[in-house]
Amino acid sequence: MPLPAEQLASMESKARAMLSESIEVKRQVMEGHTGTLVEMADVIVRSIEQGGKVLSCGNGGSAADAQHLAAELLVRLRPDVNRQGLPAIALAMDSSSMTATGNDYSFEAHYERMTRALGKPGDVLVGITTSGRSSNVVRALHAARDTGIVSIGLLGGDGGAALAECDLALVVPSTVTGRIQESHTAVIHVVMELVEDILLESGYLSIV
């Protein structure tokens, strides 16, 4: 049964408001943070060129974003750019290790443990948390800095406890989870395209 005309108009108005809010948050990111995005791309490029890799982690939708980021490196981002895969690991991919950590230690320890086990100095960890307060991500970022891994944060709100653990951070200027995640997705695409472009221009990557 279709919605009554009055309710339909109200829902359309809400949809426009959400889309407008999303556009405004991304505009603020564009106006204030493009330099940070270029720095993030440069850090990732230098790590890869020196034999490093990118680790990524988050929870819920941010775990999906972390997997998305890894897939862009491992496979490709743009259909017209066929190039070699680049080394990346999404730390939420292994359900056996995650549940074993939760059972034997704690859920909060999982990303920290994976970072210390799989990472090495010169690698990059991208921790994604819309609140900046996800304890497992905060602990992973801390472990990264403790072991010589560059820590990058994609955050929201005021950055939370994660902000102090980041060598580089983008704090999306919003407290609405959906708007923050939408900006994180856009930012991941921007950074990954910059990484590809820099590596192609330097000759590290080639079209295959």
Side-chain angles (χ1 to χ4, degrees):
M1 183 176 181
L3 293 173
E6 184 177 337
Q7 188 178 8
L8 181 62
S10 175
M11 293 300 102
E12 288 180 350
S13 177
K14 288 181 180 179
R16 284 194 296 272
M18 285 187 280
L19 289 168
S20 294
E21 184 181 34
S22 183
I23 291 166
E24 174 58 21
V25 172
K26 292 188 187 74
R27 187 194 65 77
Q28 291 180 40
V29 170
M30 179 183 69
E31 294 288 340
H33 301 283
T34 51
T36 300
L37 302 187
V38 173
E39 285 187 76
M40 289 178 177
D42 181 56
V43 163
I44 292 171
V45 165
R46 284 188 280 116
S47 174
I48 290 171
E49 287 180 332
Q50 294 165 17
K53 60 185 173 296
V54 178
L55 309 174
S56 57
C57 64
N59 298 297
S62 295
D65 285 339
Q67 293 175 35
H68 182 179
L69 184 155
E72 305 290 22
L73 291 171
L74 287 164
V75 188
R76 66 179 186 179
L77 174 58
R78 294 171 281 188
D80 59 333
V81 180
N82 291 308
R83 42 78 175 171
Q84 306 97 311
L86 296 169
I89 303 173
L91 300 181
M93 289 295 285
D94 182 354
S95 60
S96 293
S97 295
M98 180 174 284
T99 53
T101 306
N103 186 64
D104 295 353
Y105 298 97
S106 70
F107 177 71
E108 287 74 17
H110 176 71
Y111 289 145
E112 175 187 9
R113 194 169 183 84
M114 296 302 104
T115 298
R116 292 186 185 276
L118 298 173
K120 67 179 190 300
D123 287 347
V124 175
L125 172 71
V126 180
I128 309 172
T129 163
T130 58
S131 66
R133 292 172 171 76
S134 301
S135 59
N136 56 348
V137 176
V138 173
R139 288 175 60 167
L141 290 165
H142 179 79
R145 298 184 85 181
D146 191 44
T147 53
I149 297 168
V150 179
S151 59
I152 290 178
L154 299 182
L155 315 174
D158 61 4
L163 184 57
E165 303 293 349
C166 294
D167 295 313
L168 276 173
L170 171 71
V171 183
V172 175
S174 176
T175 57
V176 180
T177 299
R179 305 297 84 80
I180 297 167
Q181 288 177 332
E182 290 153 8
S183 289
H184 282 172
T185 298
V187 161
I188 287 167
H189 283 157
V190 169
V191 173
M192 293 304 100
E193 286 197 32
L194 291 174
V195 167
E196 274 192 346
D197 287 344
I198 295 168
L199 290 174
L200 285 166
E201 289 168 10
S202 73
Y204 182 91
L205 284 178
S206 57
I207 301 297
V208 297

